Amino acid sequence: FGLHKAFDGLKHIYDAGDAIFLANFGHLSKPVTNKNWHQTRGQLFSHFDMMKEIQYVDPFRKAFGTGVLGRMADVLIGEQMSVELIGGGTIERSQLARPITVDGSGTQFYPYQFYPNHIYGSNNIGFDMIDALENINNQTTQDSGIYGDHWSRTFINSEAKSAHIIDSLSGVGTTQVFNERDSLQRQFKTIARLIKAHKKRKVNRDVFRAFEGGFDTHSNMKSVHDGRFPGLDNALTALRNELVYQDVWENVTVVLTSEFGRSITPGHSEGTDHGWGGNYFMMGGSVKGGYMLGEYPTSFKGSDSTNDGRGRVIPTRSWDAVWNGIGQWFGITEEEDLNYILPNRANFGCELYTAGDLFKGMESTMSTLPGCGGDSFITVQEFTLGETRFYKENEEVALGKIFSERVGKATNSTVRCFVIQQKIIDEGVTPKQRHKRRLQTATIELTLKFSSDAVGVENLAVDTLNTEAEEIKSEIETSPDIKLVVLEVSDAYVVTESPTLVPSLSTLPSNMPNIPNPSFEP
């Protein structure tokens, strides 16, 4: 493995043990391969849609309108912490806090603060705009409406927040020199100043989002990268050096994400097309660096399980995996809270990283996921359904919850379960015949992956699936999240090898990196 020659600063951060590379991560609603990747929820390969997905990290919109970092803030605010969200994207949208957008200069905030001594674009110097606006948006009257009242409160609060932050940044500079002509370095400088002023701002936790575009390389990919990577490396190095000088580097984690990677097949004009899985990194003074996490493709051949047939690499890790561990590091440790910030995390079983996997000094307290570390097995079971279709993605999530709770209760352990694949059993039936039978019964083969935090429970788990089949069938039929009638359930059995649709998982446990200490010479 190697890095582009421009990333000399990032290489030194990695060599110092402060950076982790994330191999083949991307948006997923469940683990898939080239056989069933089309079951992934979302408009894949679209800039607009995938930019939303990687910030929501909520493919079924269980926490609609919020981003993964905004939900982290919600949990901490509920614990009486002071949290500030700054960035202007989707990832920091919250139910309990209003994000603030800061421009690169760090002196202007949206909505723009009205200058108190004049009206913009007029000659009425001396007119006290703030007094006038506060009078307009004063206390509600009998003629006020709820929308007007909401507008007024929002406006006044925004003005007060803008004034408070601008006052907090007054006289706060940086020791490190940032290139003011570079967009990302301007953003990083503002973030560094806000971190330095965190005591004046009276916050316990901060969430920042910076954005840099210009990597949609449909043409001239190599020359674009040669031109843009040096600026990215300089910005990362400047931010790291400034935070080290402030003595807060160990309290900061930086995560680089993108809506998707690029295709491995070339496009026209020496460019690439929209891809899917990509390679990213996270860095910080507490990050357990010097590793590559995830699963890099074993081959770039079209037959590889990570190739969709058009040169787009299918992710082998979801963003849920890394945000799970970061959420724990950020102070969110209860399973209920982790399920709130990552509503779809149950659909990945034990393929999630803990804070002990990602951060130094947390191995003893947060290195094992509940429901992991014990028996792990795959079962196959036939379901006769009242309609010729598969369970939908959100229904698969509900099925996993039903099975995990049922088996967990029987084995007196914590159990994780998710649907690996569904296969309709109607060999010899043409698509046209299947369409005509749409309202008739159909039998599907359901493959589930179970994991437990106890050992020696596999046989009891399978016995439970068989002896309690009628109870499970009834629970499925009464679930508000499943709209498919179950007519009959066959006995379950364990398979010793993963079916062909199962992603090739690492032979190492989920809390271990795949490749320790690879060389990253530029």
Side-chain angles (χ1 to χ4, degrees):
F1 296 91
L3 280 173
H4 189 281
K5 61 184 179 181
F7 285 114
D8 184 62
L10 179 58
K11 178 188 181 298
H12 282 91
I13 295 172
Y14 174 86
D15 288 342
D18 289 348
I20 291 174
F21 287 96
L22 307 173
N24 200 18
F25 278 64
H27 164 71
L28 288 171
S29 55
K30 69 173 186 177
V32 293
T33 69
N34 56 359
K35 304 296 184 182
N36 65 338
W37 64 266
H38 57 278
Q39 296 177 9
T40 303
R41 186 67 169 262
Q43 297 296 318
L44 302 175
F45 321 124
S46 158
H47 283 295
F48 178 76
D49 292 287
M50 287 298 100
M51 285 182 71
K52 290 193 299 182
E53 294 294 351
I54 64 151
Q55 295 183 76
Y56 284 137
V57 196
D58 179 19
F60 302 108
R61 303 299 187 266
K62 294 290 186 179
F64 186 78
T66 61
V68 60
L69 295 182
R71 295 192 294 273
M72 288 188 194
D74 287 339
V75 173
L76 297 180
I77 290 171
E79 296 176 356
Q80 306 305 310
M81 284 192 180
S82 175
V83 184
E84 205 142 77
L85 302 156
I86 299 176
T90 302
I91 197 168
E92 73 274 18
R93 288 184 183 174
S94 161
Q95 290 186 351
L96 301 180
R98 186 171 183 269
I100 304 165
T101 301
V102 186
D103 78 0
S105 68
T107 59
Q108 197 59 265
F109 298 82
Y110 299 93
Y112 286 100
Q113 184 184 34
F114 286 85
Y115 293 97
N117 294 322
H118 69 281
I119 301 174
Y120 183 78
S122 76
N123 295 319
N124 295 334
I125 305 299
F127 186 86
D128 195 334
M129 192 66 174
I130 291 298
D131 283 347
L133 290 169
E134 288 181 348
N135 287 332
I136 292 173
N137 294 278
N138 211 332
Q139 297 181 7
T140 57
T141 66
Q142 291 182 345
D143 297 327
S144 300
I146 58 172
Y147 299 110
D149 180 50
H150 178 73
W151 162 265
S152 295
R153 283 188 288 108
T154 301
F155 177 82
I156 294 299
N157 290 341
S158 298
E159 282 296 297
K161 174 61 73 174
S162 295
H164 171 67
I165 295 182
I166 290 174
D167 180 66
S168 299
L169 287 176
S170 178
V172 176
T174 60
T175 301
Q176 185 69 28
V177 176
F178 290 82
N179 181 0
E180 297 287 347
R181 294 189 299 273
D182 182 89
S183 169
L184 191 58
Q185 290 204 44
R186 287 199 306 271
Q187 295 175 71
F188 281 177
K189 180 178 181 180
T190 300
I191 289 171
R193 294 176 64 211
L194 287 163
I195 290 173
K196 193 173 184 178
H198 76 277
K199 290 183 178 180
K200 290 176 67 177
R201 293 165 43 231
K202 299 179 180 179
V203 295
N204 303 117
R205 295 285 192 279
D206 270 317
V207 170
F208 302 102
R209 172 188 177 268
F211 175 82
E212 181 78 341
F215 296 94
D216 190 19
T217 53
H218 287 283
S219 60
N220 303 313
M221 183 193 74
K222 290 184 179 180
S223 61
V224 170
H225 286 175
D226 288 343
R228 298 194 66 85
F229 282 171
L232 175 57
D233 189 68
N234 290 337
L236 292 168
T237 303
L239 177 64
R240 181 261 182 194
N241 291 343
E242 174 62 29
L243 297 180
V244 168
Y245 183 83
Q246 291 185 25
D247 198 25
V248 295
W249 179 234
E250 292 185 353
N251 301 328
V252 175
T253 296
V254 180
V255 184
L256 182 139
T257 69
S258 178
E259 66 268 40
F260 43 59
R262 308 299 298 185
S263 65
I264 57 176
T265 51
H268 62 85
S269 302
E270 299 182 344
T272 57
D273 204 349
H274 297 177
W276 191 355
N279 303 310
Y280 307 99
F281 62 84
M282 57 182 285
M283 66 182 199
S286 293
V287 169
K288 190 194 295 183
Y291 290 99
M292 176 184 291
L293 298 182
E295 295 177 42
Y296 197 79
T298 57
S299 168
F300 292 131
K301 294 180 179 179
S303 58
D304 190 81
S305 63
T306 62
N307 194 315
D308 76 339
R310 296 187 57 187
R312 295 178 295 211
V313 178
I314 300 167
T316 47
R317 284 292 187 278
S318 163
W319 280 112
D320 300 74
V322 71
W323 288 124
N324 186 80
I326 293 174
Q328 290 178 328
W329 170 81
F330 208 48
I332 301 162
T333 57
E334 297 296 326
E335 281 292 294
E336 182 180 357
D337 293 334
L338 290 167
N339 288 335
Y340 169 70
I341 69 170
L342 296 168
N344 195 43
R345 69 195 284 263
N347 229 17
F348 298 97
C350 296
E351 298 299 318
L352 302 169
Y353 296 113
T354 66
D357 300 330
L358 303 179
F359 296 95
K360 304 164 187 169
M362 303 191 78
E363 297 87 350
S364 61
T365 56
M366 296 183 187
S367 60
T368 305
L369 290 165
C372 302
D375 285 357
S376 179
F377 53 94
I378 295 171
T379 65
V380 175
Q381 203 166 7
E382 292 182 6
F383 283 68
T384 302
L385 308 175
E387 187 176 343
T388 309
R389 72 168 174 87
F390 291 127
Y391 285 106
K392 296 179 181 178
E393 300 97 327
N394 59 316
E395 292 175 325
E396 288 184 338
V397 176
L399 283 171
K401 182 178 181 181
I402 290 171
F403 281 105
S404 62
E405 290 179 351
R406 178 70 59 168
V407 173
K409 182 178 180 181
T411 60
N412 194 29
S413 66
T414 302
V415 171
R416 293 176 179 267
C417 173
F418 65 92
V419 177
I420 292 179
Q421 73 173 42
Q422 302 177 65
K423 178 182 177 183
I424 195 162
I425 303 177
D426 60 353
E427 288 83 356
V429 179
T430 66
K432 185 176 181 180
Q433 290 172 323
R434 186 180 298 123
H435 178 74
K436 288 182 178 179
R437 290 173 45 196
R438 185 168 180 80
L439 298 179
Q440 299 179 14
T441 64
T443 301
I444 66 168
E445 188 178 80
L446 196 66
T447 304
L448 303 169
K449 181 167 184 179
F450 289 88
S451 60
S452 171
D453 55 11
V455 296
V457 300
E458 178 182 312
N459 292 335
L460 179 56
V462 175
D463 288 343
T464 301
L465 296 179
N466 294 332
T467 58
E468 299 183 15
E470 285 301 314
E471 292 86 347
I472 294 172
K473 172 177 171 290
S474 176
E475 194 171 351
I476 292 172
E477 289 178 340
T478 56
S479 170
D481 298 316
I482 301 175
K483 308 298 182 184
L484 196 53
V485 176
V486 181
L487 301 178
E488 187 178 349
V489 180
S490 74
D491 283 349
Y493 61 92
V494 174
V495 294
T496 56
E497 293 184 1
S498 300
T500 56
L501 296 194
V502 181
S504 54
L505 304 179
S506 170
T507 56
L508 297 172
S510 62
N511 64 339
M512 294 290 289
N514 291 57
I515 304 172
N517 295 316
S519 173
F520 284 98
E521 290 299 328

